[in-house]
Amino acid sequence: LAFSITISATWMWRVRSDPGALPSAGPRWPRGVARDLALGGAQAALALWARYVVAWAFGSSGLNNVRDWEATLALFENEYAVTVLSPGLAAWLGAGGELVLPVMLLLGWGGRLAALGLSVVNAVAVISLPEVAPAAWVQHQLWGALLLALAVWGPGGLSVDAWRTRRLTRSGECR
């Protein structure tokens, strides 16, 4: 990714310093532009895939919690060891986080904040269970790694955050 960022920054510098470097009707593109576009497109597609995987997992869990609220409360009272909060409050916060944050993450709206919030939900889910099955442990590790990547590098080019940044940059409000 650092290579991709360096290439993009170099290309953007060339475009700003020489407006003729932009692709025109002529047959020649500036050196590296196709590579930059391919890497940027791959990064955006992978970020979208990561957002979808994590949002689907947590969103479906949140929907299951809401569908059978009595069972959810029973789990928080008897199974999950969340000692800091009352079981009712922990159930509300957990279900709310699993319903709101995946939508934000999938849209890429506040993507880094949503990734960090779901990281907390993921960590609490693992810590609060007395025993985690090996397959579940692997899933939580995968979700944690994807959420860490999204928190560090952002939701990618196919997101509301990226669209908003491009819009503000073009209008001159954000430089």
Side-chain angles (χ1 to χ4, degrees), residues 8-69:
S8 296
T10 304
W11 182 71
M12 290 305 294
W13 175 81
R14 274 191 261 141
V15 168
R16 287 186 179 153
S17 64
D18 179 17
L22 285 173
S24 63
R28 187 162 182 261
W29 277 51
R31 187 175 299 149
V33 171
R35 181 180 49 206
D36 291 350
L37 293 174
L39 289 174
Q43 188 273 342
L46 286 172
L48 179 63
W49 171 81
R51 292 186 348 243
Y52 172 77
V53 167
V54 174
W56 181 82
F58 283 93
S60 61
S61 175
L63 288 174
N64 286 335
N65 286 341
V66 171
R67 282 186 191 127
D68 193 357
W69 188 249

Side-chain angles (χ1 to χ4, degrees), residues 108-166:
W109 179 56
R112 289 181 179 186
L113 178 66
L116 290 173
L118 285 173
S119 295
V120 170
V121 171
N122 189 33
V124 168
V126 171
I127 292 169
S128 66
L129 285 172
E131 185 177 322
V132 180
W137 177 245
V138 170
Q139 279 186 323
H140 282 280
Q141 287 176 331
L142 171 66
W143 298 331
L146 292 175
L147 288 167
L148 176 64
L150 291 168
V152 170
W153 289 299
L158 299 173
S159 65
V160 173
D161 289 350
W163 171 79
R164 186 171 172 263
T165 301
R166 285 190 302 266

Side-chain angles (χ1 to χ4, degrees), residues 80-94:
Y80 301 146
V82 182
T83 57
V84 180
L85 304 171
S86 70
L89 180 60
W92 274 102
L93 290 175

